[in-house]
């Protein structure tokens, strides 16, 4: 048998924790000296201690741990539970990281207020263009909701164009509109093509109309960080007495493997 100190050392837990487990009936000593009150443990009890520690580290309460262990869960069943809990925690961590990234973007937007150069805003005509496109619905217009929709759609569109033997003849475009009669944003991803519209393709071929007057600005970096640039454009439009006529198109002038090196022109239509 092990003394409580030796058992704690082999189990990599504290003596205080073992005493607490004893007090709540989670892990009783194999023997307690009736005279001294010293606790003693058997080597076989390390298996239960390992299960307690694993479940506790994965976020289970001690009450939940006891319920699981008292049901005599097999090692295979426990492994499955732990893997499921691990996946849940990883998803929660990813969601927390995404929220943190959104907070950082908002902070950068706040810090850049009044400091971004509006001299680069240019009003120009955007010519009509024929494109192959796919569409999908995003939950909102926030970058964190748009990117997971637009990115995969572009990959799928490029794959379908390659299979159809239709080469793009210009940089990619994304444009947006409200979902008719519902919540969300309808996102269109498009590649300019030189083909005649026909029914045989597994993508749509449409003619994007010209934008007679668009306020444009160039954004450098990932689109998840577009907010400061977008709001600089919005302030320029308002300060100049103009009026927006809808969502800005995004023209991806450079969009390689590294999003930090992306160059995107925002093209916001102006009314009148």
């Amino acid at each position: 048998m092990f003394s409580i100190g030796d058992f704690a050392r082999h189990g990599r837990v504290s003596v205080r924790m073992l005493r607490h487990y004893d007090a709540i009936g989670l892990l009783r000593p194999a023997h307690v000296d009736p005279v001294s009150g010293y606790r003693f443990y058997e080597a076989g009890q390390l298996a239960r201690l390992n299960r307690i520690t694993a479940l506790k580290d994965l976020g289970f309460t001690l009450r939940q741990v006891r319920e699981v262990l008292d049901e005599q869960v097999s090692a295979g069943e426990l492994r499955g539970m732990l893997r499921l809990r691990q996946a849940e925690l990883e998803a929660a961590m990813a969601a927390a990281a995404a929220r943190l990234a959104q907070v950082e973007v908002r902070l950068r937007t706040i810090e850049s207020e009044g400091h971004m150069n509006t001299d680069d805003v240019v009003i120009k005509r955007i010519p009509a263009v024929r494109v192959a496109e796919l569409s999908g619905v995003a939950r909102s217009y926030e970058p964190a909701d748009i990117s997971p929709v637009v990115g995969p759609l572009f990959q799928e569109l490029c794959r379908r164009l390659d299979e159809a033997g239709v080469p793009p003849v210009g940089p990619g475009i994304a444009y947006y509109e409200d979902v008719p009669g519902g919540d969300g944003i309808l996102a269109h991803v498009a590649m300019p093509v030189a083909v005649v519209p026909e029914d045989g393709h597994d993508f749509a071929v449409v003619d994007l109309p010209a934008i007679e007057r668009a306020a444009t600005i160039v954004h450098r970096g990932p689109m998840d960080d577009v907010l400061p640039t977008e709001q600089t454009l919005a302030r320029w439009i308002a300060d100049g007495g103009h009026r927006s006529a809808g969502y800005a198109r995004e023209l991806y002038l450079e969009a390689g493997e590294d999003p930090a090196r992306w160059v995107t022109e925002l093209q916001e239509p102006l009314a009148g």
Side-chain angles (χ1 to χ4, degrees):
M1 286 193 175
F2 297 107
S3 68
I4 190 171
D6 289 341
F7 189 75
R9 186 173 67 254
H10 288 296
R12 297 296 182 94
V13 298
S14 67
V15 169
R16 179 187 59 79
M17 189 60 67
L18 287 177
R19 288 175 178 154
H20 180 59
Y21 292 164
D22 181 15
I24 64 175
L26 186 57
L27 180 60
R28 300 286 194 186
H31 174 71
V32 179
D33 187 289
V35 177
S36 66
Y38 290 164
R39 298 171 174 87
F40 295 91
Y41 295 81
E42 296 176 345
Q45 290 181 283
L46 287 170
R48 184 175 177 91
L49 178 60
N50 290 336
R51 285 163 168 75
I52 292 170
T53 303
L55 291 166
K56 180 171 169 286
D57 287 347
L58 283 171
F60 289 89
T61 67
L62 292 180
R63 180 177 179 179
Q64 291 171 326
V65 170
R66 183 168 55 190
E67 291 173 352
V68 169
L69 297 183
D70 288 348
E71 290 177 2
Q72 301 296 316
V73 177
S74 69
E77 291 172 327
L78 181 59
R79 186 179 300 110
M81 292 176 63
L82 294 179
R83 286 178 175 169
L84 178 60
R85 182 59 174 165
Q86 183 181 31
E88 291 173 348
L89 290 174
E90 288 174 349
M93 289 173 62
R99 286 195 298 271
L100 179 60
Q102 292 178 45
V103 170
E104 290 175 345
V105 170
R106 290 289 178 178
L107 286 174
R108 287 196 297 272
T109 303
I110 292 169
E111 291 168 353
S112 66
E113 288 175 354
H115 299 292
M116 290 194 69
N117 190 359
T118 60
D119 292 342
D120 295 332
V121 177
V122 176
I123 292 181
K124 60 184 178 182
R125 181 181 186 274
I126 308 300
V129 59
R130 175 164 294 176
V131 298
E133 73 168 39
L134 294 176
S135 303
V137 176
R139 185 172 58 181
S140 77
Y141 195 50
E142 290 187 26
D145 290 330
I146 291 293
S147 293
V149 175
V150 168
L153 280 176
F154 263 122
Q155 293 178 358
E156 179 63 17
L157 178 59
C158 290
R159 184 189 68 79
R160 294 187 187 187
L161 288 174
D162 185 61
E163 286 186 352
V166 177
V169 295
I173 300 167
Y175 67 100
Y176 308 94
E177 57 185 322
D178 293 322
V179 173
D183 295 330
I185 298 295
L186 184 60
H188 304 265
V189 302
M191 300 295 294
V193 292
V195 296
V196 175
E198 58 182 65
D199 295 332
H201 296 308
D202 56 356
F203 48 81
V205 177
V206 300
D207 292 318
L208 287 185
I211 302 176
E212 294 302 326
R213 294 177 68 246
T216 67
I217 190 172
V218 172
H219 170 71
R220 301 180 186 277
M223 291 304 290
D224 285 347
D225 294 343
V226 74
L227 200 56
T229 307
E230 199 164 49
Q231 291 193 359
T232 295
L233 182 60
R235 285 193 295 271
W236 184 92
I237 291 173
D239 292 345
H242 304 287
R243 186 164 55 89
S244 173
Y247 293 100
R249 286 186 193 174
E250 298 165 359
L251 178 66
Y252 299 99
L253 300 172
E254 296 181 23
E257 292 293 328
D258 183 6
R261 302 174 67 87
W262 287 1
V263 179
T264 307
E265 184 177 73
L266 306 182
Q267 305 169 338
E268 187 156 345
L270 300 177

